[in-house]
């Protein structure tokens, strides 16, 4: 699909695309959304202002397209040439007429169900890249696939990871010149992170940069990272970290700087989390929890800034990166901005990599601030949890996660979705590394929620999701609003003085950008966690977003949402839109507590085993948010044999539920059933005391 682009690289003004006769709407000029963040600067700002704060109340649904999976939907659509390209759960891709919603083609890479177990945070994808007539898909199983943009037929496929290791890919690839660049995920499972560049024409690997050193006794990798790992990183690691993989996966932020011809990658957490186990409690462990600048042509190292030295809390620096020019102390300065998990908002000089400023954007108790001279956090020693457990915020969930934030270059305000969430950290004295499954070296007992519903409610009452408007120059909050759901969607800012965001409760909202006043909302019938986009075709502005609750928090949150969930879908809105969503039909399965009795020993054993093996998919405390099956309602719960066939023997492996025979004995599988049986009985007792609710 050949296109002619006129780029404005400063201030975040969107790419203007005029497309030729191969497009779906060839006779109409457009303002597209051709790359992941709207432009290479990834500001997620639209200059279109047909929809504005004065008329947004007239916004209506233009069209919707339903996908074929009800798992988490995190993708940012790409719109170019009148076509929307969007990836969905299980790495499927749809090409859709961006005006009418008519499906043009779809592609299914046929991910094996068992790969779903390797994905710590749901079978999600955050989008595709489109360039040179091709759509580039980074599939969950590690393949990078080039599709013909007109037909959806594969042009080439490259396996970017070792299939024998539990790598996955959930992030969106980026195209830089003649290269497509992608990282991977899987740190907790025992892998070593890296980012790789491939030829967009052939799929040939052009360079690779590893983010942590390998076994020092092994030969060099022959990668672009060899020299800097030997010079700067190796001495910051201790022990046998390489036996654990080391972590440092680049699972989201990959941003190209066209003004400086640099590539920035955000590096993830260590494997396992606990620094005391991973590196004997010694060393900064470069390049974990760092932003690293590379030469996009060769992959060579240019500079780095480490946000959380000796990372020990799952404090990734993989969160979205925004490039901008800010007026600082009377002069323009090229900076990058990031609000990573650790709770501090960073402004970094992208020429030198030096820290400009940092201030906490959520409540923080693990550090009192950032030393602007050294760039290091001023840590609370108790946060290291060496001697006793520590109740910490933000936590592994982060003050902000992957959900996109937006920047308005006119007002120089950032809009970001935040979490307030407390987590107990403590050493696990019984830790044993288990390749292929979750490894944190954090006490599982501390992660188990109380059985008593009232006690659980009180313990989580302070948890909150917010939308925050942040001034990165003054490093202070301008305004913020609280949501009634903890996990909420990414953000879009527009020249119409609007901020768009979806919520976990299923509303798509438009707020006035200068004060956060709610001006419009739409009930999407399902939680929204993805980031919206805007585009214009034939003089009509559209705002689009993908709906579908899930993701790492969505499958593990432990907050029951007893509603029937439709499949994921993409929704497009315009002024005076009149389309309607189909009626949601269905219900929730009844609780299914077994009649047999279990011993306290079984239940207590099962409680710990469930936390170690099951909660990340089926919810903390066996309460599901409805993305994956609620085991308290499983038809197999009442049958010892059926339960064992699924949990231990893998009878449902094709649907993503592998067998746990590598890690669990038959007795342990039965102990887990006993714990879930208790949770089902407690839930049934609570339900019996409440008035009957009618299904909406």
């Amino acid at each position: 699909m050949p296109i002619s682009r006129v780029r404005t690289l400063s201030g975040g003004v969107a790419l203007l695309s005029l497309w030729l006769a191969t497009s779906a709407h060839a006779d109409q000029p457009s303002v597209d959304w051709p790359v992941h963040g709207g432009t290479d600067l990834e500001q997620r700002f639209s200059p279109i202002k047909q929809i504005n704060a004065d008329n947004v109340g007239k916004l209506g649904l233009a069209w919707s397209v339903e996908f074929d999976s009800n798992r988490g939907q995190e993708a940012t659509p790409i719109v170019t040439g009148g076509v929307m390209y969007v990836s969905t759960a299980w790495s499927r891709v749809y090409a859709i007429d961006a005006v009418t919603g008519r499906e043009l083609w779809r592609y299914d890479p046929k991910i094996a169900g068992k790969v779903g177990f390797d994905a710590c945070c749901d079978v999600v994808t955050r989008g595709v890249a489109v360039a040179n007539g091709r759509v580039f898909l980074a599939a969950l199983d590690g393949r990078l696939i080039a599709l013909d943009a007109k037909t959806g037929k594969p042009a080439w496929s490259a396996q970017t990871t070792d299939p024998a290791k539990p790598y996955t890919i959930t992030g969106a690839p980026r195209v830089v010149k003649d290269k497509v660049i992608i990282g991977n995920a899987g740190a907790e499972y025992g892998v070593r992170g890296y980012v790789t560049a491939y030829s967009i024409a052939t799929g040939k690997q052009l360079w690779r940069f590893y983010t942590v050193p390998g076994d020092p006794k092994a030969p060099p990798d022959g990668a672009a990272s060899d020299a800097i790992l030997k010079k700067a990183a190796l001495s910051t690691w201790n022990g046998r970290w390489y036996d654990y993989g080391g972590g440092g996966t680049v699972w989201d932020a990959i941003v190209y700087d066209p003004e400086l011809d640099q590539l920035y990658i955000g590096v993830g957490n260590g494997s396992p989390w606990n620094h005391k186990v991973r590196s004997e409690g010694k060393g900064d462990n470069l390049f974990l929890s760092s932003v690293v600048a590379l030469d996009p042509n060769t992959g060579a190292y240019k500079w780095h800034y480490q946000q959380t030295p000796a990372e020990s809390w799952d404090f990734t620096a993989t969160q979205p990166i925004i490039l901008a020019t800010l007026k600082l102390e009377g002069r323009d300065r090229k900076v990058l901005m990031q609000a990573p998990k650790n709770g501090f908002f960073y402004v970094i000089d992208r020429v030198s990599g030096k820290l400009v400023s940092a201030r906490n954007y959520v409540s923080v108790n693990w550090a009192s601030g950032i030393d602007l001279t050294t760039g290091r956090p001023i840590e609370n020693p108790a946060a290291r949890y060496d001697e006793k457990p520590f109740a910490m915020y933000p936590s592994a969930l982060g003050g902000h996660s992957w959900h996109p934030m937006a920047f308005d270059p006119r007002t120089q305000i950032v809009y970001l979705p935040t979490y307030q969430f407390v987590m107990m950290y403590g050493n696990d004295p019984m830790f044993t590394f288990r390749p292929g499954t979750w490894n944190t070296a954090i006490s599982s007992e501390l992660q188990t929620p109380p059985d008593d519903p009232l006690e659980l409610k009180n313990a989580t009452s302070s948890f909150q999701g917010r939308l925050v408007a942040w001034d990165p120059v003054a490093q202070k909050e301008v305004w913020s609003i609280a949501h009634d759901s903890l996990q909420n969607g990414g953000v879009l800012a527009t020249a119409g003085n609007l901020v768009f965001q979806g919520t976990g409760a299923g509303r798509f909202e438009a707020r006035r950008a200068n004060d956060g006043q709610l001006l419009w909302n739409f009930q999407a019938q399902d939680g929204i966690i993805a980031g919206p986009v805007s585009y214009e075709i034939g003089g009509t502005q559209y705002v689009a977003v993908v709906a579908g609750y899930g993701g790492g928090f969505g499958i593990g949150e432990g907050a029951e949402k007893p509603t029937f969930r439709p499949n994921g879908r993409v929704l497009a809105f315009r002024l005076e839109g009149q389309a309607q969503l189909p009626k949601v039909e269905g219900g929730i399965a009844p609780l299914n507590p077994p009649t047999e009795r279990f011993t306290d020993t079984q239940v207590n054993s099962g409680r710990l085993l469930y936390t170690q093996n099951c909660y990340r998919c089926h919810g903390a405390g066996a309460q599901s948010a409805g993305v994956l099956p609620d085991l308290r309602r499983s038809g197999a719960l009442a049958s010892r044999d059926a339960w064992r066939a699924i949990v231990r023997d893998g009878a449902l492996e094709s649907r993503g539920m592998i067998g746990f025979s590598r890690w669990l004995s038959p007795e342990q599988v039965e102990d887990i059933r006993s714990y879930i049986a208790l949770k089902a009985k407690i839930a049934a007792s609570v339900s019996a005391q409440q008035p009957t609710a009618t299904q909406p």
Side-chain angles (χ1 to χ4, degrees):
M1 185 176 296
I3 58 175
S4 175
R5 291 179 176 171
V6 180
R7 293 185 181 234
T8 303
L9 297 176
S10 63
V13 178
L15 294 169
L16 179 63
S17 300
L18 300 176
W19 63 87
L20 303 180
T22 53
S23 70
H25 301 277
D27 58 339
Q28 304 174 46
S30 74
V31 179
D32 287 346
W33 193 277
V35 294
H36 188 69
T39 71
D40 285 334
L41 304 185
E42 303 222 357
Q43 295 178 352
R44 291 188 177 253
F45 173 79
S46 171
I48 317 170
K49 53 185 176 181
Q50 182 184 92
I51 301 168
N52 55 60
D54 294 327
N55 63 17
V56 70
K58 298 179 181 179
L59 200 62
L61 187 66
W63 54 262
S64 66
V65 171
E66 186 164 305
F67 302 143
D68 57 358
S69 170
N70 66 354
R71 296 290 290 269
Q73 307 292 343
E74 299 185 357
T76 294
I78 300 297
V79 182
T80 183
V83 179
M84 176 183 290
Y85 302 94
V86 59
S87 54
T88 79
W90 294 107
S91 307
R92 295 160 188 158
V93 181
Y94 287 68
I96 301 165
D97 185 303
V99 171
T100 66
R102 179 173 63 91
E103 183 181 314
L104 303 176
W105 55 258
R106 73 172 73 173
Y107 172 76
D108 183 356
K110 301 188 184 304
I111 305 296
K114 64 180 181 180
V115 175
F117 175 74
D118 295 335
C120 77
C121 306
D122 207 356
V123 292
V124 296
T125 168
R126 296 186 191 95
V128 297
V130 181
N132 289 30
R134 287 179 175 171
V135 178
F136 299 95
L137 165 69
L140 189 70
D141 60 7
R143 286 177 289 164
L144 182 65
I145 304 169
L147 306 173
D148 184 280
K150 292 181 183 178
T151 65
K153 302 296 183 183
W156 56 256
S157 177
Q159 182 66 46
T160 73
T161 59
D162 181 348
K165 296 181 179 179
Y167 283 99
T168 53
I169 300 179
T170 57
R174 307 299 202 276
V175 170
V176 178
K177 304 177 185 178
D178 61 345
K179 302 173 182 65
V180 56
I181 300 172
I182 191 63
N184 45 59
E188 287 79 11
Y189 293 79
V191 302
R192 179 187 180 204
Y194 56 84
V195 64
T196 315
Y198 295 86
S199 164
I200 63 173
T202 65
K204 178 184 177 182
Q205 180 178 318
L206 301 177
W207 57 255
R208 175 167 289 177
F209 186 94
Y210 286 91
T211 56
V212 302
D215 185 342
K217 296 179 182 178
D221 299 307
S225 49
D226 282 356
I228 193 62
L229 289 178
K230 181 178 180 180
K231 177 182 178 181
L234 185 59
S235 62
T236 70
W237 290 78
N238 292 272
R240 300 179 63 86
W241 74 90
Y242 42 87
D243 289 338
Y244 303 130
T249 51
V250 183
W251 54 262
D252 194 32
I254 301 172
V255 180
Y256 174 63
D257 184 341
E259 298 171 342
L260 301 178
D261 193 26
Q262 293 185 149
L263 183 74
Y264 309 106
I265 60 172
V267 184
N269 57 281
S271 173
W273 294 357
N274 193 332
H275 179 246
K276 186 174 182 179
V277 173
R278 182 181 68 245
S279 190
E280 299 180 343
K282 305 171 186 175
D284 285 350
N285 289 185
L286 291 178
F287 293 103
L288 297 182
S289 191
S290 300
V291 174
V292 182
L294 305 175
D295 182 332
N297 304 296
T298 65
Y301 166 90
K302 302 190 78 170
W303 57 255
H304 78 276
Y305 173 72
Q306 188 174 43
Q307 296 164 351
T308 313
E311 191 282 313
S312 202
W313 307 277
D314 190 23
F315 277 173
T316 61
T318 53
Q319 284 55 58
I321 292 172
I322 288 175
L323 310 183
T325 299
L326 297 183
K327 184 74 72 174
L328 296 165
E329 298 179 341
R331 66 184 180 94
D332 289 342
R333 198 163 177 182
K334 296 181 187 299
V335 302
L336 66 81
M337 298 178 287
Q338 190 183 41
K341 277 188 178 183
N342 73 10
F344 290 93
F345 190 100
Y346 292 86
V347 178
I348 300 170
D349 186 304
R350 62 185 209 254
V351 177
S352 65
K354 301 298 184 183
L355 178 66
V356 175
S357 64
R359 184 91 39 98
N360 59 296
Y361 61 90
V362 292
S363 296
V364 169
N365 76 342
W366 72 276
S368 60
I370 305 296
D371 185 318
L372 296 184
T373 301
T374 64
R376 299 176 72 91
I378 306 167
E379 286 190 18
N380 176 353
R384 286 282 164 186
Y385 55 90
D386 288 331
E387 297 181 1
K388 62 180 181 179
F390 183 69
M392 184 161 151
Y393 50 88
S395 63
L397 187 60
H400 170 225
S401 190
W402 63 267
H403 311 78
M405 60 185 189
F407 173 70
D408 188 330
R410 307 164 311 153
T411 61
Q412 299 208 328
I413 299 298
V414 173
Y415 303 93
L416 67 149
T418 69
Y419 292 110
Q420 190 66 45
F421 189 90
V422 181
M423 176 176 161
M424 291 294 297
Y425 288 84
N427 284 306
D428 180 2
M430 305 300 292
F431 173 72
T432 300
F433 180 63
R434 301 191 302 168
T437 188
W438 195 256
N439 292 278
T440 65
I442 303 296
S443 171
S444 296
E445 292 183 6
L446 296 174
Q447 309 306 316
T448 304
D451 292 334
D452 181 79
L454 182 59
E455 186 179 349
L456 177 62
K457 182 179 180 180
N458 291 336
T460 59
S461 61
S462 65
F463 298 175
Q464 191 176 76
R466 301 186 72 85
L467 173 62
V468 175
W470 188 263
D471 182 339
V473 176
Q475 283 283 22
K476 67 178 183 180
E477 181 180 300
V478 178
W479 57 257
S480 70
I481 59 97
H483 288 301
D484 54 5
S485 48
L486 185 54
Q487 177 182 222
N488 302 288
V491 185
L492 166 72
T494 78
N497 194 31
L498 293 171
V499 175
F500 289 91
Q501 183 191 26
T503 75
R507 291 185 305 277
F508 188 44
E509 300 180 341
R511 295 181 179 274
R512 193 160 48 219
N514 54 292
D515 60 9
Q517 178 66 40
L518 180 64
L519 302 177
W520 170 88
N521 74 91
F522 177 88
Q523 179 49 249
Q525 301 178 345
D526 197 0
I528 299 172
I529 55 177
V533 304
S534 187
Y535 58 94
E536 180 180 312
I537 297 178
T540 299
Q541 180 182 2
Y542 297 83
V543 176
V545 70
V546 175
Y549 198 70
F553 178 73
I555 61 176
E557 67 178 285
E560 184 178 21
K561 293 180 173 65
T563 55
F564 178 77
R565 301 179 65 253
N567 283 339
R569 49 168 69 116
V570 60
L571 312 171
F573 302 87
R574 61 174 174 82
L575 294 176
E576 308 294 349
Q578 300 295 320
Q580 300 290 321
L581 289 178
K583 184 179 179 181
V584 177
E585 297 181 352
I588 188 167
L591 292 159
N592 188 33
T595 57
E596 62 209 281
R597 298 178 64 86
F598 299 95
T599 68
D600 290 345
T601 300
Q602 285 179 295
V603 171
N604 290 331
S605 169
R607 179 180 288 107
L608 183 59
L609 289 166
Y610 179 90
T611 302
Q612 291 172 334
N613 297 279
C614 312
Y615 93 89
R616 289 176 294 101
C617 290
H618 296 284
Q623 283 194 165
S624 168
V627 182
L628 288 174
D630 187 323
L631 300 183
R632 301 170 304 169
R633 304 173 188 276
S634 169
L637 182 59
S639 168
R640 177 189 179 103
D641 292 340
W643 185 261
R644 182 184 296 181
I646 295 171
V647 178
R648 181 169 162 81
D649 301 336
L652 298 181
E653 181 179 284
S654 64
R655 291 160 57 181
M657 176 59 198
I658 70 162
F660 279 69
S661 59
R662 290 171 57 190
W663 305 292
L664 297 175
S665 68
E667 293 75 21
Q668 289 174 318
V669 167
E670 184 67 0
D671 288 350
I672 292 173
R673 187 169 78 97
S674 73
Y675 169 63
I676 296 173
L678 171 67
K679 301 297 286 190
K681 290 175 182 176
I682 292 172
S685 176
V686 171
S687 179
Q689 298 173 29
Q690 295 176 342
T692 303
T694 51
Q695 184 76 17

